[in-house]
Amino acid sequence: MFKDQPKGLIPAALSNMGERFGYYIMNAVLVLFLCSKFGLAEETSTLIYSFFYAGIYLLSLVGGIVADRTCNYKRTIMQGLVIMALGYVVLSIPIMATNENHTWLLTLTCVALFMIAFGNGFFKGNLQAVVGQLYDNPKYADKRDSGFQIFYVFINVGGLIAPFVAPLLRSWWLGVHNLSYNASLPALCHQYLSVTDTMTEENMENLYALITRVGGDTAGDIQAFCTQYLEVFNTGVHYSFIASVAAMLISLVIFCAYKRGLPDPTPRAAVESVQYTPEERKAMAKEIRQRMSALFAVLGVVIFFWFSFHQNGTSLSLFARDFVKTDTIAPEIWQAVNPFFVIVLTPIIMAFFAALSRRGTEISTPRKIAIGMGLAGLAYLFLTIVSIIENYPSGTDFREMAVSAQEMMKTGPWVLILLYFFLTVAELFISPLGLSFVSKVAPKDLQGLCQGLWLGATAVGNLLLWIGPLMYNKIPLWQCWSVFLIVCLVSMGIMLGMVNWLERVAK
């Protein structure tokens, strides 16, 4: 797996693993944290999440332009890590949200998220560009796809561990105060404390039942209990962001220690000093146009993959919370299933591709991306069938049911495990190989920008994430998942229609 790979790959991957660990700690809990801390509606918190997630990738364009113009990718990467660390420091401050400070505290939280997104924009795409530069050496050129798959595994090692951190710290802090975790209780506490909302008799019964379940006393002051539970619940999450700060600093130390072993691009002045004939310039311009056209065509398709795949942080997290029997397992922890499958399945898929290559039937990168879209469609086909069989209503209708009725409708964890299996295989056919495709077709002096464009396409997909929770709460679940199924199948068809052209350009 690591044989004949360039020496700089592992240090770069370790730097990325530390950063991803810190990022996924926060990402695993962000939507539910915004709801529990500020009492936001799920549609509002997922809208903030969508803009934040889109900003991470959209700002990679800025980071890519800065690195390309200065030809100093390494300094830009280090600046990004420092800015992200500062954003996590702000998030780690445990201030209780009240009616008096709600507006400025939510604003401060959004500013911290912007800092994280801005720093990530400087870091993420440029590190990927540096990894691509390792394979510009003809000695390693045929290892490009496998190199990016290895790089992707390290990302997911961080992603595998991270989702456990925030729930564990939150549960520990609740335990210190003789309380236990319940995902549904914060929303009911906010509803009880709200001066503008009135609770139905059924919701009051659910509130009393959950207070008893987590160790509270319904005979006492309910308002005081709700205030205390929200403060303790959210303070535990704030403490987990300290781990994110530490992860950024560890990544910075690793990168600084090994940056000399990473390539430095040729300064722009040296490139421009080479003299070309008019015919050579014309041919070069034509090739660049073809490469950029191919890049934008692939970007247009993968927008819809990320729109579907990144529902794992929005509507699929809500599905895990509402419809799956998690018992003592926090819904955020289910996000670790995806990186677990990435780590386990990547060597198998790499071996499969290598076997095809030895037999002379290698699958091209564009064709792999098309297959990935079909596999993503299978994931949502499975979830659609489950929702039809179980006759699942919308999320809103489900939460208005009595607790006893909700428990009767919940399914087993196997549904999430199988769902994430299909989505992960799809991801392994698209994400690391898409990074490889971008590094292959990108003009030499635009590598940072082109990696930023790949992440920018992810940003556009993320801007659409709010649609998932909106459908989840408004229509029966089988209809919600059917929309994603159709999106994936149409995208696969478009990609297959372009395969022959993309294969010619990428040669």
Side-chain angles (χ1 to χ4, degrees):
M1 183 172 173
F2 298 99
K3 186 180 179 181
D4 299 326
Q5 295 289 345
K7 292 181 180 179
L9 175 63
I10 300 305
L14 286 171
S15 298
N16 205 42
M17 183 180 76
E19 181 276 329
R20 289 289 87 185
F21 170 73
Y23 168 76
Y24 279 115
I25 288 174
M26 180 272 302
N27 185 64
V29 299
L30 182 57
V31 168
L32 302 180
F33 171 69
L34 290 172
C35 291
S36 65
K37 183 173 180 65
F38 297 102
L40 300 179
E42 289 171 356
E43 292 82 358
T44 304
S45 62
T46 52
L47 186 62
I48 294 173
Y49 177 91
S50 296
F51 279 106
F52 163 67
Y53 217 170
I56 284 176
Y57 295 96
L58 194 60
L59 289 167
S60 293
L61 288 170
V62 178
I65 291 170
V66 170
D68 285 337
R69 288 186 175 179
T70 62
C71 277
N72 198 330
Y73 293 85
K74 297 176 185 178
R75 185 179 65 192
T76 309
I77 288 167
M78 291 186 290
Q79 290 171 341
L81 286 168
V82 172
I83 295 170
M84 280 189 284
L86 293 174
Y88 287 119
V89 167
V90 175
L91 280 185
S92 67
I93 302 171
I95 303 174
M96 176 69 178
T98 65
N99 291 331
E100 290 73 26
N101 68 10
H102 185 279
T103 300
W104 72 259
L105 188 56
L106 180 58
T107 302
L108 180 64
T109 300
C110 291
V111 169
L113 292 175
F114 175 78
M115 292 174 67
I116 295 168
F118 190 77
N120 210 297
F122 271 49
F123 174 85
K124 190 175 178 67
N126 289 317
L127 186 62
Q128 291 167 186
V130 168
V131 173
Q133 290 161 9
L134 290 170
Y135 295 91
D136 290 341
N137 184 336
K139 179 181 177 181
Y140 305 113
D142 63 335
K143 300 291 183 181
R144 187 182 296 266
D145 276 6
S146 60
F148 272 98
Q149 287 174 312
I150 293 170
F151 182 74
Y152 205 70
V153 167
F154 277 81
I155 292 174
N156 284 276
V157 170
L160 172 65
I161 302 169
F164 293 91
V165 175
L168 285 174
L169 287 173
R170 181 181 57 207
S171 295
W172 163 74
W173 193 241
L174 283 166
V176 169
H177 292 82
N178 299 315
L179 298 168
S180 62
Y181 168 79
N182 185 277
S184 301
L185 185 52
L188 290 172
C189 287
H190 276 292
Q191 193 175 355
Y192 184 86
L193 295 173
S194 174
V195 296
T196 59
D197 204 352
T198 54
M199 297 186 72
T200 63
E201 183 177 344
E202 196 167 66
N203 278 345
M204 284 296 300
E205 291 176 358
N206 289 342
L207 175 63
Y208 288 138
L210 292 180
I211 288 175
T212 301
R213 185 178 298 181
V214 301
D217 182 6
T218 55
D221 187 338
I222 301 299
Q223 183 173 353
F225 174 84
C226 288
T227 301
Q228 179 199 16
Y229 191 81
L230 289 173
E231 182 175 5
V232 174
F233 187 98
N234 292 305
T235 298
V237 180
H238 280 292
Y239 289 160
S240 68
F241 297 140
I242 298 174
S244 294
V245 177
M248 296 303 109
L249 297 179
I250 292 171
S251 283
L252 182 61
V253 169
I254 293 172
F255 187 82
C256 290
Y258 292 97
K259 66 177 181 177
R260 290 185 179 180
L262 298 172
D264 288 300
T266 304
R268 183 180 298 272
V271 174
E272 292 175 346
S273 66
V274 179
Q275 298 297 315
Y276 297 101
T277 66
E279 291 77 14
E280 288 173 330
R281 290 183 180 277
K282 185 176 180 179
M284 289 169 60
K286 181 180 178 181
E287 182 181 356
I288 289 174
R289 284 197 300 271
Q290 289 178 337
R291 286 171 174 262
M292 296 303 290
S293 297
L295 176 60
F296 277 106
V298 173
L299 297 183
V301 173
V302 298
I303 284 172
F304 298 100
F305 170 74
W306 294 120
F307 163 58
S308 303
F309 179 78
H310 281 153
Q311 293 298 319
N312 60 357
T314 54
S315 61
L316 293 178
S317 280
L318 300 178
F319 176 78
R321 182 196 66 189
D322 293 340
F323 289 93
V324 179
K325 294 177 182 176
T326 57
D327 298 323
T328 58
I329 301 175
E332 301 96 331
I333 290 179
W334 287 103
Q335 292 194 42
V337 176
N338 168 244
F340 169 79
F341 277 136
V342 169
I343 295 166
V344 171
L345 296 176
T346 293
I348 298 172
I349 291 176
M350 288 178 66
F352 172 69
F353 289 155
L356 290 178
S357 180
R358 288 193 297 270
R359 293 172 55 186
T361 55
E362 184 175 0
I363 304 174
S364 68
T365 302
R367 198 173 296 274
K368 291 172 184 174
I369 294 173
I371 294 171
M373 293 301 306
L375 292 169
L378 278 179
Y380 282 104
L381 174 61
F382 163 71
L383 206 52
T384 299
I385 293 171
V386 169
S387 298
I388 290 173
I389 292 173
E390 299 293 339
N391 195 28
Y392 285 147
S394 68
T396 299
D397 290 342
F398 178 81
R399 289 189 298 275
E400 290 178 353
M401 299 166 61
V403 172
S404 58
Q406 292 176 6
E407 293 297 326
M408 291 288 292
M409 293 191 70
K410 289 188 176 184
T411 189
W414 66 272
V415 171
L416 285 179
I417 293 171
L418 197 54
L419 169 70
Y420 280 118
F421 173 81
F422 283 120
L423 283 177
T424 302
V425 177
E427 179 187 9
L428 292 175
F429 272 74
I430 294 176
S431 188
L433 300 175
L435 297 177
S436 175
F437 179 81
V438 172
S439 72
K440 189 181 298 183
V441 302
K444 300 302 181 187
D445 61 338
L446 296 176
Q447 292 184 9
L449 174 62
C450 288
Q451 289 291 347
L453 287 171
W454 170 265
L455 298 172
T458 311
V460 176
N462 292 339
L463 281 173
L464 304 174
L465 290 180
W466 59 273
I467 297 174
L470 182 65
M471 295 190 298
Y472 173 87
N473 283 321
K474 297 297 182 183
I475 59 178
L477 291 195
W478 75 266
Q479 296 178 17
C480 173
W481 309 135
S482 293
V483 171
F484 295 109
L485 167 62
I486 293 169
V487 165
C488 292
L489 293 181
V490 171
S491 299
M492 179 185 69
I494 294 172
M495 193 71 191
L496 287 173
M498 300 188 298
V499 159
N500 292 335
W501 168 57
L502 292 173
E503 288 173 344
R504 289 195 303 271
V505 174
K507 283 182 179 179

